[in-house]
Amino acid sequence: MSAASNPTRSPSVTPRGRIDKQQAVLAAAFTVFAREGYAQARVDEIAAEARVAKATVYNHFGDKETVFRQVVRSLTNSALAANLAAVDQLCGDGTDLPASLREVGLRLATCYCLEESRALRRLVAAESAQFPDLIDIVAEVPHRVVQSLADRLSRLALAGALRFDDPELAATHFTALLTGSIDTRSKLGTYPLATAELRTISDAATTTFLKAFGSPTHSAHEEG
């Protein structure tokens, strides 16, 4: 008998409705934690925000600490996926490297400035004394992004479009040019930046990066 014709669910299969409720609770919990902080947030507030019974929250997650940890992990995974997708746009042989870097920079800057990302950084920083391990979880995003970007930059160096001895250091410099400017202009994430301003930041980061690491041909092209 095929699995499709078997009316008995496999224990390893999670029903769609249960997944939907879990996601609703996590989304609501993030809203409440970001607004109230971990200590002041209450499970009944999370349940009300998610429009589920308080017992539903406990049935899915057990306690408030577990909800908090799952919120951080879920948002971190989403942020990582979005950032890696942005880095994936940097490909080819470097023929139009300045334009490609500007676009990737804009995408990474946009990810960094998303309200969810800004709120997650603030929340984890505020609760770092009680949950120090979560710092490492969130820090995995920039670490993985730098590694992925370093791989892309290495391919461009092999194609002769870039010059450097340490691809990871070069990737770190590019991301720092983006986030450093964003933090300054946004007053550490408390002031939203328009897309036009993020593009200006990405353009400046690309220009500076290519002056430091671009091949003579690309550096001259960028200056022109």
Side-chain angles (χ1 to χ4, degrees):
M1 181 180 293
S2 68
S5 63
N6 188 347
T8 304
R9 288 184 181 273
S10 169
S12 63
V13 176
T14 303
R16 179 71 251 175
R18 181 175 176 82
I19 294 175
D20 290 342
K21 282 190 176 181
Q22 286 177 343
Q23 294 304 315
V25 170
L26 289 176
F30 177 61
T31 298
V32 174
F33 286 135
R35 183 179 66 228
E36 305 290 343
Y38 176 77
Q40 298 300 319
R42 302 194 311 271
V43 173
D44 57 344
E45 287 182 287
I46 294 171
E49 185 75 28
R51 297 183 180 181
V52 299
K54 185 177 180 179
T56 299
V57 179
Y58 286 116
N59 287 339
H60 282 274
F61 298 99
D63 55 33
K64 187 175 77 168
E65 178 178 336
T66 301
V67 175
F68 183 67
R69 291 182 177 280
Q70 287 298 318
V71 164
V72 171
R73 289 183 180 278
S74 177
L75 287 170
T76 298
N77 289 338
S78 296
L80 178 59
N83 277 270
L84 292 180
V87 174
D88 282 346
Q89 301 302 307
L90 187 61
C91 56
D93 59 2
T95 302
D96 197 5
L97 180 56
S100 184
L101 271 176
R102 288 190 187 101
E103 185 60 30
V104 170
L106 176 61
R107 288 171 180 256
L108 288 174
T110 300
C111 289
Y112 189 74
C113 287
L114 288 175
E115 174 56 30
E116 292 84 355
S117 295
R118 292 189 291 128
L120 177 62
R121 292 194 297 271
R122 291 195 301 268
L123 183 60
V124 172
E127 306 301 337
S128 60
Q130 185 170 355
F131 301 98
D133 58 301
L134 295 185
I135 293 290
D136 290 334
I137 292 175
V138 175
E140 186 69 10
V141 175
H143 176 66
R144 291 277 301 279
V145 169
V146 165
Q147 286 186 322
S148 180
L149 183 58
D151 178 68
R152 297 284 175 168
L153 295 178
S154 293
R155 299 181 196 181
L156 290 165
L158 288 174
L162 294 171
R163 298 182 305 174
F164 44 69
D165 296 324
D166 186 338
E168 191 162 321
L169 180 61
T172 299
H173 283 179
F174 185 68
T175 56
L177 287 168
L178 294 170
T179 58
S181 294
I182 291 171
D183 286 342
T184 299
R185 292 185 182 222
S186 68
K187 298 179 181 179
L188 297 179
T190 61
Y191 178 79
L193 300 180
T195 299
E197 193 162 5
L198 294 181
R199 187 175 293 281
T200 298
I201 290 171
S202 178
D203 289 351
T206 297
T207 298
T208 302
F209 180 83
L210 289 178
K211 284 181 181 295
F213 300 107
S215 67
T217 300
H218 285 86
S219 296
H221 176 70
E222 181 65 11
E223 289 175 2

